[in-house]
Amino acid sequence: MRTRKHIRSLGKTFTYLKDPDFRKQEVGDVLLAVDDAEFSGERFDGMTWRNVVFRNCSFIGAYDIGPRAMENVVFQDCSFAGILSYGVTNNVQFLRCRWTGAPVMFAEKESKNTRFESCAFEGTSPDRNQQGTVGSSGEVSFINCKAKWINWAGDAGLTIVECECDDVSVHTDSAANSGDDSLSSAVLIERSKLRGTFNLAAADLQSLTIRDTVLDNLELTNATIKGDVLMERVRGGSVNGWIRGAPRVTLRASQFTPSPGFEFAFELVSADTQHALIDSVQISGGTKPINFGFGALGSDARKVAPKLNRSFTIVNSRMGRVDASYLNSAEVRLERNTFDHLDLSNSRIAKLELTGNTIARSVDFTNTQAKESKLQRLAKGQAKLEGSNIKAD
């Protein structure tokens, strides 16, 4: 690494960063290049940086760096540590940069087109209470980055593409922070590897889309999702999704098996979900049932309010023990699947269709009421019908 000089020793470059209006008077909007500089012990506060490229610079300190805004700014091969602010960003890129320790660094609300590309984030502790947070209170993208023991922030929008994450948490705005005006981030994850636990617990999201991604443990417990959830071509271990909201949930062309060090569980539960589609999904292993609870009637244990789900569909899938009890649904269709055991007990269903499935053990309809049902032929004694109005041949 090249030797860095303190920013105060760089003459006009230092002056131009301190006083952007003076810079504009002297040289206009010509690009300002800042090379091999150390930013520490000198405050940069309240100004706007435009058309600047920082190369091989280090930024260190607590509240020392706090521009009001940055526009058309690039950081190349820079390092960051401490508590810093980027201001309101517009078209700002961090390329091959590094964050270490427990940094706290945010772009402010209304920031857009902020990109972290080929960057590295290395925390010091697996304890989430001791980890730093890097990102934006606006929109942000992480592309081809590597991260361990860190929080990534994207309050208005968060895109993660071709990244490798190891025990990473996601911070989004929340009603607890901002009341009814919380931003509820739209989160998109594509072509990434999420090792350990990728933590979205209790997050407030606008939507969640995960495609072509490998994960160990996706934690969504108590997340609130205003829009849709889509997981497509995902491979991994466990998904804990005791979520609120999510009017449409789609899980397609995915495979889930136990991961070393994790007890396998698959839970996607939301009484607010109107439409749920599970298509071409394989789930196997572990000691817990696969839990789907869309439109749940509610029970004392789950404390879920009764809400009506419009449709719940599983097709072309292979699963072990499936718990889809306490459904309250207008339409339930299970077609061309392979199950070990299927639990549809204690449900209220307007139209039930169970056709073309292979079921190794039993189907539990205990206390389930269906206004209309179409059932495939089941083996003698395979259906548990106590307290149910469903007729099995």
Side-chain angles (χ1 to χ4, degrees):
M1 183 179 292
R2 300 189 299 269
T3 302
R4 295 186 176 116
K5 297 181 180 180
H6 197 276
I7 187 60
R8 284 193 296 265
S9 68
L10 296 185
K12 274 291 182 69
T13 296
F14 173 67
T15 302
Y16 288 164
L17 290 174
K18 276 287 195 177
D19 191 346
D21 291 335
F22 176 68
R23 170 194 167 199
K24 187 173 182 65
Q25 291 172 7
E26 283 213 335
V27 297
D29 290 325
V30 66
L31 182 68
L32 175 64
V34 184
D35 294 324
D36 307 316
E38 177 186 312
F39 290 76
S40 64
E42 182 69 42
R43 291 190 65 83
F44 291 86
D45 189 38
M47 69 281 292
T48 297
W49 286 343
R50 291 188 178 92
N51 302 327
V52 184
V53 56
F54 297 92
R55 294 187 289 244
N56 189 40
C57 296
S58 66
F59 296 83
I60 307 167
Y63 308 102
D64 293 337
I65 309 299
R68 181 176 67 251
M70 290 195 295
E71 185 174 353
N72 300 327
V73 175
V74 178
F75 297 85
Q76 294 181 2
D77 303 296
C78 295
S79 62
F80 301 84
I83 303 174
L84 310 174
S85 173
Y86 311 131
V88 178
T89 60
N90 181 20
N91 194 29
V92 172
Q93 179 191 42
F94 298 85
L95 179 62
R96 299 185 303 275
C97 293
R98 300 169 303 284
W99 285 258
T100 56
V104 178
M105 304 182 192
F106 283 91
E108 302 299 331
K109 285 189 176 182
E110 301 183 3
S111 292
K112 56 186 179 181
N113 199 19
T114 304
R115 305 180 309 283
F116 297 83
E117 301 182 31
S118 303
C119 294
F121 305 81
E122 183 73 28
T124 57
S125 173
D127 184 350
R128 289 196 297 270
N129 294 320
Q130 300 180 35
Q131 295 173 5
T133 303
V134 177
S136 175
S137 294
E139 299 174 351
V140 65
S141 299
F142 294 89
I143 302 168
N144 192 34
C145 293
K146 294 184 178 181
K148 182 177 182 178
W149 296 343
I150 197 80
N151 294 284
W152 277 352
D155 287 356
L158 175 62
T159 298
I160 299 171
V161 177
E162 296 180 345
C163 291
E164 295 184 21
C165 300
D166 192 342
D167 285 325
V168 167
S169 298
V170 169
H171 172 278
T172 65
D173 200 21
S174 68
N177 292 332
S178 304
D180 294 337
D181 295 328
S182 61
L183 296 178
S184 299
S185 181
V187 175
L188 169 64
I189 303 171
E190 291 187 322
R191 303 188 301 281
S192 295
K193 296 178 181 178
L194 311 180
R195 301 186 182 95
T197 296
F198 192 83
N199 186 19
L200 281 159
D204 285 85
L205 308 180
Q206 182 61 40
S207 60
L208 175 63
T209 301
I210 305 177
R211 295 192 184 98
D212 302 299
T213 289
V214 178
L215 59 88
D216 286 342
N217 180 36
L218 177 63
E219 182 57 73
L220 289 167
T221 300
N222 291 327
T224 298
I225 304 175
K226 295 180 181 178
D228 295 344
V229 173
L230 170 64
M231 287 189 280
E232 190 169 40
R233 298 182 299 278
V234 173
R235 291 186 294 115
S238 63
V239 178
N240 297 310
W242 290 82
I243 55 180
R244 300 182 180 91
R248 184 180 299 270
V249 172
T250 302
L251 179 58
R252 181 184 295 121
S254 299
Q255 299 86 40
F256 297 90
T257 55
S259 299
F262 291 90
E263 181 183 22
F264 177 72
F266 190 96
E267 299 169 341
L268 284 172
V269 179
S270 176
D272 302 308
T273 297
Q274 291 296 297
H275 300 279
L277 171 62
I278 315 297
D279 183 1
S280 303
V281 173
Q282 297 182 31
I283 307 175
S284 61
T287 60
K288 297 174 64 176
I290 301 154
N291 195 314
F292 299 113
F294 304 106
L297 275 176
S299 68
D300 291 340
R302 297 184 183 182
K303 297 180 181 178
V304 178
K307 291 191 178 181
L308 178 66
N309 162 267
R310 301 307 306 171
S311 67
F312 173 51
T313 305
I314 305 178
V315 295
N316 303 315
S317 295
R318 181 181 293 271
M319 304 179 184
R321 294 178 297 151
V322 174
D323 182 354
S325 58
Y326 290 93
L327 292 175
N328 187 23
S329 184
E331 181 178 354
V332 174
R333 181 167 66 93
L334 309 179
E335 185 176 351
R336 301 187 305 278
N337 304 294
T338 298
F339 301 116
D340 181 24
H341 169 74
L342 177 62
D343 186 353
L344 292 170
S345 65
N346 299 292
S347 296
R348 299 295 179 266
I349 301 169
K351 182 179 180 181
L352 170 64
E353 185 173 345
L354 190 69
T355 58
N357 301 282
T358 300
I359 303 172
R361 298 185 182 182
S362 61
V363 184
D364 192 349
F365 293 115
T366 302
N367 296 325
T368 291
Q369 304 292 312
K371 292 182 180 179
E372 178 183 345
S373 61
K374 178 182 179 182
L375 262 62
Q376 67 187 71
R377 184 177 294 276
L378 298 171
K380 184 177 181 180
Q382 190 174 28
K384 299 179 180 180
L385 299 169
E386 183 180 358
S388 173
N389 70 344
I390 294 174
K391 306 296 182 182
D393 295 334

